[in-house]
C-alpha cells in the first residue's frame, strides 16, 4: 500500500512532524510519497517521491490552494492513505481533501491495530478503533505518537507541482509572534510543580531547575503561592490554572482535591513525595517515594 | 415640714402657657424633622414589619429599657446604658412634675409629689442625674481621649456631648439654687434626700436671696431652652437614634436568623432581581442608615475588615443611607465597591452585635443577586469555574457526580435508592463526599451512628449540592434548581429525619428549603449527638488522658442557629478540657469560608483563617476543634500557611467522638 | 445578517467512562452532560457580533441528538441566540463526521447563512472534522482554530492559534464558516432575565431522516478501556537508580522527553 505524506512548512522551515509521518508510514508498512508546499532548501530527508510546490507562490497557509495541490498529487500517485499530522495545519487541511475525494478521515491516530486505527476519545479515557469504509482514507496522526527511529538520512526525489491559477477566497495576512507574558501554563507541554514539600521559598529553585532541564514550565500548588514562594501565575488548581500537559511532575505535592482538579487531565503524571499514601498517588503514573529536596537534584543532574 | 415642693417656684404659673406653646413648637419641629425623612424611606420597597404587633412591642420594651444589646459590649455599652437609665429617669421625673402641676393638682386635686413618695422621688432623681453625669463624662473620655480605633468623631458628636453636659449641669444648678433659697435651711430633712442638689446648694450660700432667685430664673429658662433645643435637634443629628433605634427594635425581623427572601422565579413580571439601586431595597434597608449611630461594633467584629478587605459593615449601612438621601438613582455596587460586596463571609457578627438591629447581611446578598442574576458577574474566574462545575456535576470540584457516594464503600450505610429502611437520612454535602480530609468527618459520623444503633441512609450519587454557597453568592436560580431536585428526592424516599455534618447544608435544608416545600426535622450532628448522649443511646468513654482543646464556634451553627453549648457538652463528655478563645460563642470569629467564599480565593489583605489560627494559638491549646467542613479546610490551610504546623492541629467534632466510643 | 451556530452536547470529561453495550461508543448511564466547551466560544462570539451590529443579526443555534440536547440549546438561547433547531436523532452518536456534516449542510443549504460558527472539535469524539466538512459541502470558505475574531462589513479577520504560541492571521469574506478554539473570548454567564426570555424562544424540531442522505465513510470497530493508570508504578530506594528508571519510563511513555 502507498501512503502520501503531507509535510508541513512554516516560517521558511520544514517542521519536524514531517518525520513523524514517515515513522507512521513505516509502522504501517506502506510505500512512501510526499507532498510539500515549501522550498527547495528545506526538503525532508526521507526516501521517496516528493511533490514540491513553492510556498512563495501558494502561501505557507492557504488551505484552498494546498487542497488543490494535494489533490493533484493524489491523482498522480494514487495513494491508499493520505497522512497528515494532527496539527493546526493538518486538521485544517485534511477534511477538505477528504471531502473532495469523498473518503473517510480518521483523526489523531495513536496506534495501529489489525488494519484499523486506534484513536482516543473523551480525553483519552477510552480508546476506539476505526476503519475506513472504502479502500482509501485520510489519516491524521497525533503529534508525538509515532517517533522516528533515529537520524533522518534519506533523500527525496523532487517533482514539481503547480496549479493553473491561484485565485482563492482565503487570504493569509501574516503571523503574530507569541507575546512575552507571565506564565500561561495552559499551553505548556511539560510542567514541574512545587508543593509544600519543598519546605521554603529558597528551595523552589531546585524545582525550577528541574523544570528548566526538562524544557518545561514551573507550576505550583496553592499553599506555595499563598505563602509567597511562587508568583500566582504559576498556580495549578481550581483557583489557579487548569492544565493538561503531556508531562506533569508534582514535587512535594500531597494532592489536595483542588490541586488534582487542576492537573488531572495531564497525559502522564509523575509524583515525587515522601508519603507513599499521598492522594497524588491516585492520579500518578509513577510515584517516586523520596524527599523532594534530595531526589530532584539527582534527577536534574542526569538531564543536564 | 412637708415633704413637697412648690412647682414653678420663682418662675410663676404664668410660664405655663408660653412653656407649652414653645414645647409644642419644639415637638412639632421634632415631628417635622422625622416627617421629612419619610420620603427617603419610601423610596424602598414595601415590607411588612408591623405584624405580630404584641411580640414586637414586648421585644422593643425589653431591648430598649433593658438596654440588653447595648450593654453586651462592656467598654462603651455599660456607660451608655447607665447614662440612658439616668437620663430616662430624669425625663420621667420631669414629666411627672409637669403632669402633677398641670393635671393632678388643678384637676384631680391630688399631690403625688409629697411625703414618702417625694423623698424617694428626690433621691432617685438626684442619683439618676449624678449617674448620668458621671457616665456622660466616661463616654466623653472614651470618645475624645481614649479614642478607640474605628470610632470616628465629628464636630456634631462634640456639640451633642456639650449639649447633654449643659442640660445635666444646668439641671443641678437650678436644683441647687432652688434648694439654697427654699429648702436648705427651711426643710433640712427633705434637703438630705437630694444629696447632689444639697452640695450644689452650698455653692449658693454666699449669694444674697435676690441673686439666687435671678440666677435660678435664668438657669431655668436656659435649661428649658437647652431641652427644647435637644428635642428639636433630635431628627437632625445622631440623637435621632433615640427614635430610630427604638423603632428599629420594633421593626427587627421575627423570622429565624438568616432568612432570605425566596425569589418567585415563576413571576414573569419581575424584571429586576436583586438590588441595583435603592429602589430595589426595602424601606427598612433605608431606615437602617438612620438607626445607625456609627458605634463601629459591627466593623470591629467584621473578619473582612479585620484583614484589610475593603468591606466595612458600618460604611455599608451609611453609604446606602447617603445614596438614598442624595443620589437615589446611583448604582449601589459602584457606591459601595464590587470588591467590598464580594468580600463578605455572611458570618453575621455585625448583625448579631448591632445594638440598633440593623440588617447588614441581606443588603449585601441583594447586591450580590443583582451582580449575579442581572450581570452574570463573579468575584473571580475560580468562582465561575466552581459554579459551572456545580451546574454540570452538582459539586464545586467538577468531579463526576457518579462518585459522590464512593466514600461510603464498605461502611454500614444504605444508599436510599436501594430501598432499605433507615432511621435518618444523612445529607453528606460536597466536601465530606469528595474531599479527602473531610471524608474523615463522614466516616466518623457513620461509625458513631453504628455504635448508637442508628440506621443511616444517604442519597449517594443522587445527592446534589445543597445550593447554599451559590445562593449566598447571589445565584438564586441555581440554588432553587438544586434545592428542587434535592427536595424531590428526599420526599420521594419518604425520609422522616435528616441529619447533616455541614452547617451550611443544615441551614439550607433546615430553614431555607422550607420556603420551597421541605418540611422535615433537620438536625446538625452536634446537637444530634448531644441528644443521643443525653438519652444514653450513644455511650462515650473518655480515654485515660483528658485532651486539651479550644473550640471554634462555626458562624452557621453558633450565631445562626444558637447551638453553642451542645457541642461543648459533647466534647466535655468525650474527656475534653476546653480553653476558650477570647472571641468565642456569639463573638466567634469566622474562618472565612461562609457566604459562598469557600469557592473563592482571598486576594486582598491578610488571611482570615490565619488570623483565627493565631487566636487559637493564643489559648495555648494544641488542638482546635470545629464542626464544619469549611472551617476544617480553612484551618488546615491556615495552620500550614500561618506556620503553625506542629504547634496546632485541627480536628472535627465527629472525629473526636468517633475515637472515644464506649 | 443570519448566523448559524452548531453546538454539540457532550458528557462532562470528569465522568467515568465505560464501554457502551454494543462496543461502539461509551455507555451513557451516570454521565453529566454539558455544551461542548469549544462550542461555547462559538455561541459567545456570535452573540458578541450581534451586539456589535446593534442586534440586527439573527442567530440560529442547532444541535443534533436526543431530547437531552435541548439543555445546551436552551443555554445558547439564554446567552443570546434567537431561535433553536433540534435535529431529533436518538442515535446521533453513531453517525460519523461526514454524516453529521451532511445533516447540518442539508439544513443550512437553502437558508442563506452569512456566517456559520462552531467549535473546532468536540470533547468526546474530537475528530475536528465536522466544521470543515460542512464548509466544503456548502462550498463556502472556512478557517479553523480561531482565537481572534473581527468583523467589518462582510470581511472577517480571524486569528488562528498555531503551535508554540504563534498565531496566523487570515481574511475571508462572508458567507464563511469558522471553527473556534478555547480562549477565543469569555463565554458569558446567562443572566436570569435572559434565561427567562429563552424559555419563550422558538425551537424547531426536525427529524434526522429528513436531512440525512449520506452513508458513513468510517466505522467504529471497537471501543475499549486503555491500559490502566493511577495505581501506577511506585519507585523506592536508591536515588540514582530511581532517577535512571524514571527517565527510562519518561522516554518510553511520553513524547516530550528524549
Amino acid at each position: 500500500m502507498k501512503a502520501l505524506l503531507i509535510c508541513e512548512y512554516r516560517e521558511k522551515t520544514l517542521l519536524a512532524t514531517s518525520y513523524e509521518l514517515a515513522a507512521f508510514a513505516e509502522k504501517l508498512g506502506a510505500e512512501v510519497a510526499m507532498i510539500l508546499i515549501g522550498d527547495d532548501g528545506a526538503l525532508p530527508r526521507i526516501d521517496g517521491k516528493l511533490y514540491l510546490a513553492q510556498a512563495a507562490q501558494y502561501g505557507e497557509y492557504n488551505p484552498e490552494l494546498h487542497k488543490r495541490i494535494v489533490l493533484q498529487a493524489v491523482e498522480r500517485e494514487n495513494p491508499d492513505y493520505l497522512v497528515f499530522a494532527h496539527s493546526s495545519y493538518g486538521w485544517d487541511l485534511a477534511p477538505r481533501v477528504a471531502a473532495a475525494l469523498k473518503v473517510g478521515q480518521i483523526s489523531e491516530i495513536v496506534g495501529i491495530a489489525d488494519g484499523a486505527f486506534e484513536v482516543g476519545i473523551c480525553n483519552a479515557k477510552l480508546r476506539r478503533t476505526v476503519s475506513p469504509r472504502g479502500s482509501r482514507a485520510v489519516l491524521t496522526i497525533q503529534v508525538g505518537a509515532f517517533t522516528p527511529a533515529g537520524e533522518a538520512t534519506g533523500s527525496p526525489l523532487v517533482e514539481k507541482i503547480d496549479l493553473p491559477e491561484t485565485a482563492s477566497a482565503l487570504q493569509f495576512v501574516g503571523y503574530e509572534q507569541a507575546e512575552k507574558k507571565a506564565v500561561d501554563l495552559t499551553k505548556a507541554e511539560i510542567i514541574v510543580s512545587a508543593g509544600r514539600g519543598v519546605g521554603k521559598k529558597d528551595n523552589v529553585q531546585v524545582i525550577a531547575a528541574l523544570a528548566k532541564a526538562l524544557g518545561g514550565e514551573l507550576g505550583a500548588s496553592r499553599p506555595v503561592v499563598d505563602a509567597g514562594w511562587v508568583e500566582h501565575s504559576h498556580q495549578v488548581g481550581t483557583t489557579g490554572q487548569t492544565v493538561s500537559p503531556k508531562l506533569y511532575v508534582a514535587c512535594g505535592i500531597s494532592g489536595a482535591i483542588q490541586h488534582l482538579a487542576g492537573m488531572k487531565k495531564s497525559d502522564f503524571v509523575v509524583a515525587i513525595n515522601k508519603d507513599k499514601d499521598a492522594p497524588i498517588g491516585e492520579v500518578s503514573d509513577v510515584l517516586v517515594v523520596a524527599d523532594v529536596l534530595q531526589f530532584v537534584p539527582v534527577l536534574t543532574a542526569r538531564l543536564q | 415640714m412637708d415633704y413637697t415642693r412648690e412647682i414653678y417656684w420663682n418662675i410663676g404659673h404664668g410660664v405655663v402657657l408660653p412653656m407649652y406653646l414653645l414645647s409644642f413648637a419644639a415637638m412639632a419641629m421634632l415631628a417635622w424633622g422625622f416627617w421629612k425623612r419619610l420620603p427617603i424611606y419610601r423610596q424602598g420597597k414595601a415590607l411588612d414589619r408591623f405584624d405580630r404587633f404584641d411580640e414586637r412591642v414586648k421585644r422593643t420594651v425589653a431591648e430598649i429599657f433593658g438596654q440588653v444589646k447595648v450593654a453586651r459590649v462592656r467598654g462603651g455599652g455599660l456607660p451608655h446604658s447607665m447614662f440612658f437609665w439616668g437620663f430616662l429617669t430624669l425625663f420621667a421625673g420631669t414629666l411627672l412634675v409637669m403632669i402633677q402641676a398641670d393635671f393632678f393638682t388643678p384637676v384631680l386635686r391630688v399631690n403625688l409629689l409629697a411625703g414618702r413618695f417625694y423623698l424617694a422621688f428626690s433621691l432617685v432623681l438626684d442619683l439618676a442625674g449624678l449617674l448620668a453625669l458621671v457616665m456622660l463624662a466616661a463616654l466623653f473620655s472614651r470618645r475624645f481621649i481614649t479614642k478607640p480605633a474605628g470610632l470616628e468623631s465629628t464636630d456634631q458628636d462634640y456639640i451633642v456631648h456639650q449639649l447633654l453636659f449643659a442640660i445635666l449641669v444646668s439641671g443641678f444648678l437650678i436644683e441647687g439654687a432652688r434648694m439654697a433659697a427654699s429648702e436648705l435651711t427651711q426643710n433640712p430633712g427633705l434637703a438630705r434626700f437630694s444629696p447632689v442638689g444639697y452640695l450644689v446648694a452650698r455653692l449658693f450660700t454666699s449669694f444674697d436671696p435676690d441673686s439666687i432667685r435671678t440666677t435660678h430664673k435664668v438657669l431655668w429658662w436656659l435649661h428649658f431652652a437647652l431641652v427644647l433645643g435637644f428635642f428639636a435637634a433630635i431628627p437632625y443629628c445622631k440623637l435621632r437614634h433615640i427614635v430610630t433605634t427604638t423603632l428599629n427594635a420594633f421593626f427587627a425581623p421575627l423570622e429565624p436568623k438568616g432568612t432570605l427572601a425566596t425569589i418567585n422565579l415563576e413571576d414573569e413580571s419581575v424584571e429586576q432581581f436583586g438590588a441595583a439601586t435603592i429602589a430595589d431595597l426595602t424601606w427598612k434597608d433605608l431606615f437602617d442608615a438612620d438607626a445607625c449611630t456609627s458605634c463601629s461594633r459591627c466593623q470591629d467584629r467584621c473578619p473582612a475588615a479585620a484583614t484589610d478587605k475593603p468591606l466595612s459593615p458600618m460604611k455599608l449601612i451609611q453609604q446606602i443611607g447617603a445614596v438614598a438621601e442624595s443620589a437615589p438613582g446611583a448604582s449601589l455596587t459602584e457606591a459601595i465597591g464590587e470588591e467590598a460586596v464580594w468580600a463578605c463571609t455572611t458570618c453575621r457578627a455585625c448583625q448579631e452585635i448591632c445594638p440598633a438591629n440593623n440588617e447588614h447581611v441581606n443588603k449585601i446578598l441583594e447586591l450580590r443577586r443583582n451582580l449575579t442574576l442581572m450581570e452574570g458577574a463573579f468575584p473571580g474566574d475560580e468562582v465561575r469555574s466552581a459554579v459551572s462545575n456545580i451546574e454540570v456535576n452538582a459539586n464545586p470540584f467538577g468531579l463526576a457526580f457518579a462518585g459522590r457516594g464512593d466514600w461510603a464503600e464498605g461502611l454500614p450505610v444504605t444508599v436510599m435508592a436501594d430501598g432499605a429502611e433507615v432511621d435518618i437520612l444523612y445529607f453528606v454535602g460536597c466536601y465530606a463526599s469528595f474531599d479527602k480530609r473531610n471524608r474523615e468527618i463522614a466516616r466518623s459520623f457513620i461509625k458513631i451512628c453504628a455504635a448508637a444503633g442508628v440506621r443511616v441512609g444517604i442519597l449517594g450519587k443522587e445527592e446534589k449540592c445543597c445550593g447554599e454557597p451559590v445562593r449566598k453568592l447571589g445565584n438564586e436560580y441555581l440554588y432553587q434548581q438544586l434545592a428542587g431536585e434535592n427536595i424531590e428526592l428526599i420526599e420521594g424516599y419518604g425520609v422522616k429525619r435528616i441529619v447533616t455534618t455541614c452547617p451550611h447544608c443544615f441551614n439550607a435544608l433546615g430553614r431555607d428549603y422550607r420556603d420551597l416545600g421541605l418540611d422535615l426535622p433537620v438536625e446538625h450532628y452536634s446537637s444530634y449527638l448531644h441528644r443521643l448522649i443525653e438519652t444514653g443511646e450513644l455511650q462515650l468513654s473518655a480515654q485515660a488522658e483528658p485532651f486539651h482543646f479550644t473550640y471554634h464556634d462555626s458562624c452557621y451553627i453558633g450565631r445562626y442557629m444558637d447551638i453553642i453549648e451542645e457541642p461543648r457538652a459533647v466534647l466535655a463528655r468525650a474527656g475534653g478540657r476546653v480553653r476558650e478563645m477570647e472571641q468565642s460563642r456569639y463573638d466567634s470569629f469566622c474562618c472565612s469560608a461562609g457566604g459562598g467564599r469557600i469557592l473563592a480565593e482571598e486576594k486582598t489583605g491578610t488571611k482570615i483563617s490565619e488570623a483565627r489560627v493565631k487566636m487559637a494559638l493564643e489559648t495555648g491549646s494544641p488542638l482546635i476543634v470545629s464542626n464544619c467542613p469549611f472551617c476544617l479546610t480553612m484551618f488546615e490551610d491556615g495552620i500550614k500557611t500561618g506556620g503553625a504546623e506542629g504547634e496546632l492541629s485541627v480536628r472535627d467534632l465527629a472525629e473526636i467522638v468517633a475515637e472515644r466510643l464506649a | 445578517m443570519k448566523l448559524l451556530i452548531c453546538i454539540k452536547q457532550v458528557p462532562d470529561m470528569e465522568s467515568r467512562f465505560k464501554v457502551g453495550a454494543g462496543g461502539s461508543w461509551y455507555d451513557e448511564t451516570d454521565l453529566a452532560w454539558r455544551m461542548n466547551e469549544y462550542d461555547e466560544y462559538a455561541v459567545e462570539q456570535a452573540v458578541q457580533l450581534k451586539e456589535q451590529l446593534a442586534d440586527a443579526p439573527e442567530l440560529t443555534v442547532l444541535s443534533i441528538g436526543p431530547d437531552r440536547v435541548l439543555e445546551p440549546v436552551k443555554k445558547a438561547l439564554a446567552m443570546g441566540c434567537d431561535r433553536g433547531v433540534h435535529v431529533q436523532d436518538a442515535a446521533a452518536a453513531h453517525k460519523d463526521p461526514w454524516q453529521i456534516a451532511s445533516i447540518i449542510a442539508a439544513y443550512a443549504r437553502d437558508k442563506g447563512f452569512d456566517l456559520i460558527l462552531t467549535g473546532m472539535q468536540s470533547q468526546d469524539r474530537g475528530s475536528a472534522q465536522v466544521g470543515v466538512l460542512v464548509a466544503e459541502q456548502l462550498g463556502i470558505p472556512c478557517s479553523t482554530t480561531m482565537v481572534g475574531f473581527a468583523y467589518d462589513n462582510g470581511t472577517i479577520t480571524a486569528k488562528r492559534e498555531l503551535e508554540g504560541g504563534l498565531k496566523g492571521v487570515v481574511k475571508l469574506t462572508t458567507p464563511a464558516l469558522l471553527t473556534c478554539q478555547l480562549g477565543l473570548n469569555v463565554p458569558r454567564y446567562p443572566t436570569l432575565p435572559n434565561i427567562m426570555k429563552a424559555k419563550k424562544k422558538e425551537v424547531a424540531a426536525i427529524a434526522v431522516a429528513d436531512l440525512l442522505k449520506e452513508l458513513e465513510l468510517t466505522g467504529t470497530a471497537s471501543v475499549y478501556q486503555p491500559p490502566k493508570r493511577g495505581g501506577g508504578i511506585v519507585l523506592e530506594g536508591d536515588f540514582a537508580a530511581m532517577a535512571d528508571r524514571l527517565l527510562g519510563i519518561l522516554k518510553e511513555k511520553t513524547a516530550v522527553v528524549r
Side-chain angles (χ1 to χ4, degrees), chain B residues 265 268 273 373-376 378 384 387 391-393 398-403 406 461 475 477, chain C residues 12 14-16 30-34 40 75 186-193 195-196 199-200:
Chain B
L265 295 172
E268 298 189 353
F273 299 98
L373 299 174
M374 302 300 292
E375 294 178 26
F378 292 92
R384 183 191 288 264
V387 171
E391 285 173 336
V392 174
N393 269 302
L399 295 170
F401 76 85
D406 286 357
K461 68 184 178 201
N475 201 331
Y477 182 71
Chain C
D12 172 65
E14 286 306 309
S15 309
R16 298 168 186 169
D30 279 352
L31 292 181
W33 299 95
R34 52 160 301 159
E40 286 185 356
K75 182 167 182 186
V186 180
R188 66 195 58 199
Y189 191 77
T191 64
L192 188 52
I195 294 175
M196 305 301 231
K199 293 190 181 163
K200 299 219 172 80

